[in-house]
Amino acid sequence: MELWYTEKQTDSFGITAKVKRSLHSEQTDFQKLDMLETEEWGNMLTLDGMVMTTERDEFVYHEMVAHVPLFTHPNPENVLIVGGGDGGVIREVLKHDKVKKVVLVDIDGKVIEYSKKFLPAIAGMMDDPRADVRVGDGFMHIAESENIYDVIMVDSTEPVGPAVNLFSKGFYAGIAKALKEDGLFVAQTDNPWFKSDLIAQVNKDVKEIFPVTALYTANIPTYPSGLWTFTMGSKVYHPKEVDASLLPHIETKYYTPELHHAAFVLPKFVQDLLK
Amino acid sequence: MELWYTEKQTDSFGITAKVKRSLHSEQTDFQKLDMLETEEWGNMLTLDGMVMTTERDEFVYHEMVAHVPLFTHPNPENVLIVGGGDGGVIREVLKHDKVKKVVLVDIDGKVIEYSKKFLPAIAGMMDDPRADVRVGDGFMHIAESENIYDVIMVDSTEPVGPAVNLFSKGFYAGIAKALKEDGLFVAQTDNPWFKSDLIAQVNKDVKEIFPVTALYTANIPTYPSGLWTFTMGSKVYHPKEVDASLLPHIETKYYTPELHHAAFVLPKFVQDLLK
């Protein structure tokens, strides 16, 4: 018998991956969680039938969501991750010596539990002394925070299920309040081939709240279209004004100082979404 | 009944696309040719079970294989396309006023015939007065050409079936001979996630023949991993020394003058393949 995981990324297109075995499957309080051992991608976490991360290509997303904002801010001491229960973003954030504390708030404790169990290379830094991992509602945490964080990363699922609020204008306003006066944030904002309306809407909303708004991309093979976008909103610092030659060295497999800038150079049809 | 086209891009990973109907299917003298009408991508041409082009995302590949080399060469009058029977590269080449003549040599006349029939927006420029479309062996055409072309584009299938020779060092040496003394070429060289050995080998071979060698990428959702590479070999001109601010305007949906440079900034794991 051959098992294949098939994900409809749209109603009429998707990916399929050969599965060695299912490692875990459960309906948590918030979503359907599956951990699969695949041939091509190693262990793979899916939520509500969508790939969240795989051992083989996880480095792209986690590096790009962490290093671009952290190298844009000159002194990112206090960092918040909303979502991100697999621990991949925390691992990358902790590569930055300037970070004194990183708080992670994921609504689903089961994601944290099973990532630690089946994705140890991704989740292994969640017990670091500088990491403060909490199970809770990131939207509420943002609503209750004021002038606390230098950098916030929104590492959410797609805008269905528990993450719907994390794509609302009110949420971005809350982020602005939770950030210090020179703070900045980044959110994953899906792909431009199938979700162009979402990208345009988020860009419009963030622009109305933050003086600096910018979109960058990265190639993630197991995500729809292979081209992922990240939207940054910043009160002061501009990601394109970073002097790449001055950035300290960190170990990466995707991010480079040159790519810090190149990632913001968009294909024309993506540029056109932001008009 | 629902029809789905499923392509194993590797032994254990692939894509799947909902099909409205099969428009044409035949075993030509060289390969299995299928034309499918899909929900997500419009009409789609596959050869030997691999997506070659689709109406919706074809612009990425065709723009990037054409405009990067043509804007690197200061005066690309004579252009050769090896393969490319769908006509997409010719269409883009003809956007350049400096091009006086573009020869296309595809081994399979059926690709040209059925692209004209079912992909008119891609194939519609093959009868242009500046275009000289021939059915023949591109490898032999290169072997018989000397000091003729300014720019050569290798728009081949994967290195299986009729295209095996088009990834050999002897072929690149033939290209060098077919080019004028300041000529340059570009070849599609697959993706870095599943075909890293191929990219490394081609880069090594081209480096031994051409003084200037460079790799660039583009996002093509229907190609394996969504990240495609193009290898350029050049006798004189360097693609990174192009002054993007001086490039004439052409209508595009992916290529921009800024992206001309950004496309050469590689993810670290791709950079590392070229060492």
Side-chain angles (χ1 to χ4, degrees):
Chain A
M1 184 186 75
E2 282 194 0
L3 279 178
W4 287 75
Y5 165 80
T6 299
E7 176 181 335
K8 278 194 190 180
Q9 297 172 327
T10 73
D11 288 341
S12 56
F13 185 70
I15 55 168
T16 186
K18 194 171 180 181
V19 171
K20 289 184 186 173
R21 60 190 175 126
S22 167
L23 298 167
H24 184 77
S25 179
E26 80 171 88
Q27 182 69 43
T28 75
D29 289 343
F30 302 97
Q31 50 209 345
K32 178 78 165 19
L33 183 159
D34 281 279
M35 194 70 75
L36 302 169
E37 185 184 347
T38 73
E39 294 266 0
E40 190 68 56
W41 304 103
N43 290 354
M44 172 189 277
L45 168 68
T46 74
L47 295 175
D48 288 335
M50 292 178 279
V51 174
M52 289 298 113
T53 198
T54 82
E55 287 182 314
R56 184 168 169 208
D57 74 346
E58 57 89 8
F59 65 93
V60 182
Y61 179 90
H62 294 134
E63 290 180 11
M64 291 302 280
V65 83
H67 302 316
V68 176
L70 289 175
F71 279 140
T72 298
H73 196 293
N75 196 24
E77 294 188 353
N78 289 306
V79 175
L80 171 68
I81 301 165
V82 176
D86 57 47
V89 183
I90 276 203
R91 183 194 62 199
E92 296 303 315
V93 169
L94 290 171
K95 290 179 180 174
H96 293 255
D97 294 337
K98 287 179 177 171
V99 172
K100 291 184 176 164
K101 188 180 175 188
V102 49
V103 175
L104 181 148
V105 183
D106 196 297
I107 203 165
D108 195 339
K110 295 285 187 180
V111 172
I112 299 169
E113 178 183 348
Y114 286 100
S115 296
K116 284 184 173 177
K117 185 166 182 184
F118 292 113
L119 303 169
I122 302 174
M125 297 296 283
M126 281 197 277
D127 296 323
D128 186 274
R130 288 186 287 160
D132 175 2
V133 175
R134 307 176 192 177
V135 176
D137 184 336
F139 189 88
M140 287 305 298
H141 181 86
I142 288 286
E144 292 160 0
S145 300
E146 197 167 333
N147 192 28
I148 292 178
Y149 296 108
D150 299 300
V151 174
I152 294 174
M153 292 125 183
V154 184
D155 177 12
S156 69
T157 57
E158 303 316 282
V160 291
V164 165
N165 286 334
L166 306 185
F167 289 83
S168 66
K169 192 172 174 187
F171 181 60
Y172 304 128
I175 284 178
K177 180 178 61 68
L179 286 169
K180 292 185 188 159
E181 62 189 7
D182 63 348
L184 59 90
F185 89 103
V186 67
Q188 74 84 4
T189 43
D190 218 304
N191 81 88
W193 289 91
F194 307 133
K195 295 289 180 68
S196 54
D197 290 351
L198 175 79
I199 293 170
Q201 184 62 47
V202 170
N203 190 265
K204 185 171 168 291
D205 289 346
V206 173
K207 248 186 198 164
E208 288 173 12
I209 298 169
F210 288 86
V212 177
T213 308
L215 188 83
Y216 62 99
T217 70
N219 159 246
I220 304 172
T222 57
Y223 283 9
S225 88
L227 185 67
W228 216 244
T229 72
F230 304 86
T231 299
M232 185 185 287
S234 175
K235 296 185 181 181
V236 175
Y237 309 113
H238 201 298
K240 299 181 196 172
E241 287 166 6
V242 169
D243 184 343
S245 68
L246 298 178
L247 296 181
H249 176 75
I250 52 170
E251 284 296 326
T252 58
K253 288 192 278 186
Y254 190 94
Y255 179 91
T256 69
E258 297 73 32
L259 207 63
H260 181 105
H261 289 282
F264 287 93
V265 180
L266 305 173
K268 181 153 191 312
F269 79 103
V270 182
Q271 261 183 32
D272 289 346
L273 296 179
L274 310 182
K275 279 177 184 168
Chain B
M1 185 186 74
E2 282 195 358
L3 278 178
W4 288 74
Y5 165 79
T6 299
E7 176 181 334
K8 278 194 190 180
Q9 298 172 327
T10 73
D11 287 341
S12 56
F13 184 70
I15 55 167
T16 186
K18 195 172 180 180
V19 172
K20 289 185 186 173
R21 60 188 175 126
S22 168
L23 299 166
H24 185 76
S25 180
E26 80 171 88
Q27 182 70 41
T28 74
D29 289 343
F30 302 96
Q31 50 208 343
K32 178 76 164 23
L33 183 158
D34 280 278
M35 194 71 76
L36 302 169
E37 184 183 348
T38 73
E39 294 267 0
E40 190 68 56
W41 303 102
N43 290 353
M44 171 189 277
L45 168 67
T46 73
L47 295 176
D48 288 335
M50 293 178 279
V51 174
M52 289 299 113
T53 199
T54 82
E55 287 182 314
R56 185 168 167 208
D57 75 346
E58 57 89 8
F59 65 91
V60 183
Y61 179 90
H62 294 134
E63 290 181 11
M64 290 301 279
V65 83
H67 303 316
V68 177
L70 289 174
F71 279 140
T72 298
H73 195 294
N75 195 25
E77 295 188 352
N78 289 306
V79 174
L80 171 67
I81 301 166
V82 176
D86 57 47
V89 183
I90 276 202
R91 183 194 62 200
E92 296 303 315
V93 169
L94 291 169
K95 290 179 180 173
H96 293 256
D97 293 337
K98 288 180 177 171
V99 173
K100 290 184 175 164
K101 187 180 175 189
V102 49
V103 176
L104 180 149
V105 183
D106 196 298
I107 203 165
D108 196 339
K110 296 286 187 180
V111 172
I112 298 169
E113 178 182 347
Y114 286 99
S115 296
K116 283 184 173 178
K117 185 165 182 184
F118 292 114
L119 304 169
I122 302 174
M125 296 296 282
M126 282 198 277
D127 297 322
D128 187 274
R130 289 187 287 159
D132 175 1
V133 175
R134 306 176 192 177
V135 176
D137 184 336
F139 189 88
M140 287 305 298
H141 182 86
I142 288 286
E144 292 161 356
S145 300
E146 196 167 333
N147 192 29
I148 292 177
Y149 295 108
D150 299 302
V151 174
I152 295 173
M153 291 124 181
V154 184
D155 177 13
S156 69
T157 57
E158 303 317 280
V160 289
V164 165
N165 287 334
L166 305 186
F167 289 83
S168 65
K169 192 173 173 188
F171 181 60
Y172 303 128
I175 284 178
K177 180 178 64 66
L179 286 168
K180 292 185 188 160
E181 61 189 6
D182 63 347
L184 59 89
F185 89 104
V186 67
Q188 74 84 5
T189 44
D190 219 306
N191 81 87
W193 289 91
F194 307 134
K195 295 289 180 67
S196 55
D197 289 351
L198 176 78
I199 293 170
Q201 184 63 48
V202 169
N203 191 265
K204 185 171 167 292
D205 290 347
V206 173
K207 248 187 198 164
E208 288 173 13
I209 298 169
F210 288 86
V212 177
T213 308
L215 190 84
Y216 62 99
T217 70
N219 159 246
I220 304 171
T222 57
Y223 283 8
S225 89
L227 185 68
W228 215 245
T229 73
F230 303 87
T231 299
M232 185 185 287
S234 175
K235 295 185 183 182
V236 175
Y237 309 114
H238 201 299
K240 300 180 196 173
E241 287 166 5
V242 169
D243 185 344
S245 68
L246 298 179
L247 296 181
H249 177 74
I250 51 171
E251 283 296 326
T252 59
K253 290 192 277 185
Y254 191 92
Y255 179 91
T256 69
E258 297 73 32
L259 207 62
H260 181 105
H261 289 282
F264 287 92
V265 180
L266 305 173
K268 182 154 192 309
F269 80 103
V270 183
Q271 261 184 33
D272 290 345
L273 295 180
L274 311 182
K275 280 178 183 167

